Amino acid sequence: MTASSDDRNHDVDLDSDVKPITDHVHDNSWSANLETPQHAERRDLVVEQARQAVEHTAGGNHVNLVTHGDHGHPETYLYDALVETFGDALSWEYVEQCGCGGHVTRVYVE
């Protein structure tokens, strides 16, 4: 399940100096690094780029969302945003907290 950019109505205005999380649809499982210093400063950036990572994951695959530890456990801010955007078109599981403090959530795209 991938949503077209026309279907998205996200509130985040990504600055021109923010690199896209990906530039193509991944027809395999992959990891999205949401732990940069920019991500530490902006929870909204983490959420928006997590949405983009899911949108760029072909059905039948998963994306590991590696979120910055400064924002705490992703269940406190990310999971509801994923449900709001994708409904029941995906599922996820919390994998672990990394040694650096970040969190890994594996999102399965139906």
Side-chain angles (χ1 to χ4, degrees):
M1 182 267 170
T2 56
S4 73
S5 59
D6 294 336
D7 293 338
R8 297 183 314 134
N9 185 18
H10 304 278
D11 300 0
V12 178
D13 180 26
L14 297 180
D15 300 326
S16 61
D17 63 338
V18 174
K19 289 176 47 174
I21 196 65
T22 188
D23 63 356
H24 65 282
V25 172
H26 295 258
D27 194 12
N28 61 331
S29 295
W30 66 291
S31 295
N33 178 9
L34 305 172
E35 289 190 292
T36 70
Q38 289 175 315
H39 293 104
E41 296 170 2
R42 296 183 49 197
R43 181 184 281 187
D44 63 331
L45 178 62
V46 173
V47 171
E48 174 58 20
Q49 289 197 324
R51 288 175 174 150
Q52 290 173 359
V54 171
E55 290 170 346
H56 284 83
T57 303
N61 295 288
H62 72 263
V63 57
N64 293 318
L65 301 176
V66 185
T67 55
H68 204 285
D70 283 4
H71 303 299
H73 197 288
E75 72 182 350
T76 64
Y77 66 93
L78 182 59
Y79 297 171
D80 287 344
L82 293 175
V83 169
E84 180 182 306
T85 303
F86 301 104
D88 61 359
L90 48 85
S91 61
W92 59 83
E93 66 178 313
Y94 180 76
V95 177
E96 67 182 343
Q97 184 171 17
C98 306
C100 64
H103 297 271
V104 180
T105 300
R106 182 165 294 149
V107 179
Y108 299 93
V109 179
E110 311 280 325

